[in-house]
Every structure is written in structure tokens, then in C-alpha cells.
Amino acid sequence: MTYSTEQLVQILDEELRATWKGERILLSSSDRLSNSVVAKALGNEKLSKVFAYQDFQKQVQQYQRDYGVSGIIWQVCRFGNSEVRYPELHHQLVPVPGDKAILMAAKPSVVEFWWAEAAEMLLWLAGHTPKPLTRPAVEQMIHEAEWVEIAAGKDELYLSLCWGDPKECHYQWAWPDSRCERVIASESRPIMSNL
């Protein structure tokens, strides 16, 4: 029997809890960090916990690859009285072949939900200083994105437009091959502009 995505997430959560309780140790952890100052500052106990969990996580991710277990989990985004169900890559897992296609297939329904909820709102490109966007500019950005991610705040709705590798797209070092740009829909200037 192959473990499911949900079972792997549960296994990782249980292992993380056990690691932070001190139930898992890695004796050679200080040897694995090339910066001796950082290693000394963190201490062997903390380093042991970090590396023990990282090793376990790598084993789970290799299991995913070996058995083709998806890294996709399904979430629900609620805004106002509406909601949309959408896929996202779990932050502790890796994508396997077919996962990106799942993300891409959900794009139309997520975009439809986002536009329905954001219809009367102002649109902004997220960043340190949010930049106002026009609806045609956002439509073009959505058209160019391979898949989208969605999140909601109390009064704001966030649409992330993503390209490239789902595991790397949120890291600036992966640009321009993989990236996500976030558009914010809000009644006024965004509160969470640095998201």
C-alpha cells in the first residue's frame, strides 16, 4: 500500500513535533554547517533538530518521487459569502509529474472566483510600495501565468500569478525561470502590501 498525500503530510507533522520535543537527534549536526559562528550560536541541540527533520523530509520527498505521490493538497478560500476550492503544493512536499497540470487546470475556476469577488475593488501589484493596476493589465498578467494561487484577508483578496517550478516559484533567486507575482484586490490602498 502506498501512502497518500494526506498521510505523508500527517507523518511529516508528527515527525516535526517529535523532533522539536527532542525525541530525534542527529549527532553529527554541527559538522554539517559550514559557518562555525552560526553553528556555535545555534548550538548542537537546535542544529540536531533542524538537520534530523531535514533528513526525514528528504526521505519523504524521495518516497513521493519513487511512488508518484502527489505533493498537491486541496484548500478552500472563503471571501464574503463565497468560496472556491483550489489545489496548492504543500510546503513540505515536492511536485511529482502531473502536479503542475493539476495547478494549471484549476486556473480558470480560481480566476473566475477572483474576478467575481474583486469586480468593484481597486487592483494593486504587491510589493514594498504597491502599484495600482488596471483591469486590462491584470487580465494580461493572468493570461501569461501558468497557474494561480489565491488567498483572502478580511478586506483584501490576493491572486498570485505563477510560472515555472511550483517548488521554486516563491523564491526570488528562481526568477525569471520560476516566479509568482501577487495582485491585491482591495477597497482602498492595501494593508498587507508586502505580501
Side-chain angles (χ1 to χ4, degrees), residues 99-154:
D99 280 357
K100 187 172 177 179
I102 293 169
L103 296 171
M104 293 170 73
K107 180 181 170 183
S109 63
V110 173
V111 168
E112 180 181 346
F113 171 83
W114 192 80
W115 276 125
E117 296 304 313
E120 303 300 319
M121 296 179 151
L122 300 172
L123 305 174
W124 305 84
L125 181 62
H128 183 68
T129 304
K131 298 176 185 169
L133 293 170
T134 63
R135 184 179 173 107
V138 173
E139 288 172 346
Q140 181 62 35
M141 292 169 71
I142 290 171
H143 175 72
E144 293 170 0
E146 291 183 287
W147 76 94
V148 297
E149 299 174 350
I150 192 164
K154 182 180 176 189

Side-chain angles (χ1 to χ4, degrees), residues 95 100 146-147 163-170 177-179:
K100 187 172 177 179
E146 291 183 287
W147 76 94
W163 298 262
D165 183 340
K167 191 66 178 175
E168 297 178 350
C169 65
H170 294 283
D177 298 327
S178 298
R179 67 184 192 274

Side-chain angles (χ1 to χ4, degrees), residues 76-100:
V76 174
C77 178
R78 292 177 180 83
F79 192 76
N81 295 322
S82 301
E83 64 181 44
V84 64
R85 188 170 181 263
Y86 66 97
E88 73 177 15
L89 180 65
H90 191 276
H91 66 279
Q92 295 179 11
L93 300 176
V94 294
V96 298
D99 280 357
K100 187 172 177 179

